[in-house]
Amino acid sequence: MSRVLVVEDEAHIAEGLRFNLEAEGFSVAVVGDGVDAVDAVNAEHFDAVILDVMLPRKDGFTVATELRAGGHFLPILMLTSRSRAEDVLKGFEAGADDYLPKPFELKILLARLRGLLRRGGWQQTARPGAATATPDVPEVFEFAGRRLDFGAMELSAKNRTHRLTRMECELLRYLVASGGKAVSRKAILEEVWGVQESTDTRPIDNFIVRLRRYIEESPSSPRFLITVRGVGYKFVPLGDN
Ligand code: CA
């Protein structure tokens, strides 16, 4: 039985989620603010977190960031009050694996949650707008002594294995699929994040910075994840220069 932590301060939504998740066979704990959410994950095992953004004491972005920084790599489904692009990107940047704008349909929430719980199964649950069709990328991609396992959502490099969030995985998969060609930040927004409106693209740059720390010997002079001035990024599996 999967154990799910629901972090939601609106009691009627929290109790509605508890009732419906229990009816679907999940074991559920509910907390009403961000501080209790971090404490709960530190204190006991959960298989997934349903995390509201607007919370007392500590917002959902901060909770997700702290959980990832603390080494917790359980799936996080974020509930946003708006589907504004910047909130979505902020959520992904904080380490959320997926998001659902409020008000949500229970059926969709359950489908997303089950997708996230099937680690590796999420590739098959395409989100509207996001292109997940990259059939030319193998499940495991090896380059220059590094190993990217998209199924296990892990990246092994420099004698360390890093757990990846779903969006880190999707970004790497997209860059690998681009076959050494430069891709624009706008294309990444649309194809990886499923965000169509124009918005601040700095979260993408922050993703790249994080991935470089994992992959590159010297993140400040990258050889694999290369910045293409005026365009965006390209992935060079054999290493530049
Ligand atoms: Ca709230």
Side-chain angles (χ1 to χ4, degrees):
M1 186 194 289
S2 294
R3 182 136 172 89
V4 177
L5 177 65
V6 172
V7 187
E8 170 61 85
D9 58 313
E10 288 165 76
H12 68 286
I13 297 178
E15 289 313 312
L17 278 172
R18 181 204 291 279
F19 178 84
N20 285 292
L21 288 168
E22 286 178 350
E24 295 290 324
F26 292 99
S27 159
V28 180
V30 173
V31 294
D33 72 60
V35 173
D36 287 350
V38 175
D39 288 348
V41 175
N42 282 326
E44 65 165 304
H45 172 82
F46 289 99
D47 297 293
V49 181
I50 297 174
L51 178 61
D52 190 31
V53 168
M54 304 285 279
L55 291 168
R57 300 216 281 167
K58 196 177 269 183
D59 70 24
F61 301 125
T62 310
V63 171
T65 303
E66 289 187 7
L67 291 182
R68 296 314 189 205
H72 296 291
F73 279 87
L74 72 177
I76 298 176
L77 173 59
M78 205 168 248
L79 302 177
T80 57
S81 47
R82 306 151 294 193
S83 59
R84 275 177 47 205
E86 58 212 74
D87 281 6
V88 172
L89 293 185
K90 228 172 135 184
F92 286 149
E93 196 185 348
D97 294 287
D98 204 352
Y99 77 96
L100 207 52
K102 284 178 166 178
F104 54 84
E105 267 183 65
L106 183 69
K107 205 171 61 178
I108 295 177
L109 180 132
L110 288 169
R112 295 284 180 80
L113 179 62
R114 291 203 174 98
L116 289 172
L117 286 167
R118 284 193 305 271
R119 241 180 202 288
W122 50 262
Q123 292 103 321
Q124 279 86 49
T125 58
R127 295 183 317 113
T132 46
T134 47
D136 43 340
V137 177
E139 180 96 344
V140 174
F141 182 82
E142 295 189 357
F143 66 100
R146 281 94 170 142
R147 179 185 161 91
L148 257 169
D149 187 328
F150 292 110
M153 298 169 72
E154 285 178 354
L155 166 62
S156 303
K158 301 190 288 180
N159 301 317
R160 281 196 61 186
T161 297
H162 304 272
R163 299 286 296 275
L164 300 173
T165 67
R166 174 168 166 251
M167 280 300 142
E168 288 171 337
C169 243
E170 297 241 12
L171 176 56
L172 282 167
R173 181 196 297 272
Y174 184 72
L175 288 167
V176 169
S178 68
K181 286 199 292 287
V183 292
S184 67
R185 290 180 180 79
K186 184 171 185 289
I188 292 172
L189 270 183
E190 291 180 356
E191 303 291 322
V192 182
W193 273 260
V195 171
Q196 306 297 325
E197 57 198 279
S198 67
T199 182
D200 182 11
T201 54
R202 249 173 310 177
I204 292 175
D205 302 329
N206 293 335
F207 263 77
I208 296 285
V209 165
R210 193 155 66 211
L211 293 173
R212 276 179 180 152
R213 279 203 296 266
Y214 297 164
I215 291 173
E216 306 282 353
E217 294 298 338
S218 165
S220 54
S221 45
R223 296 176 59 220
F224 303 103
L225 286 175
I226 313 283
T227 303
V228 182
R229 281 190 68 159
V231 183
Y233 294 101
K234 68 176 175 181
F235 174 65
V236 184
L238 295 175
D240 215 356
N241 57 64

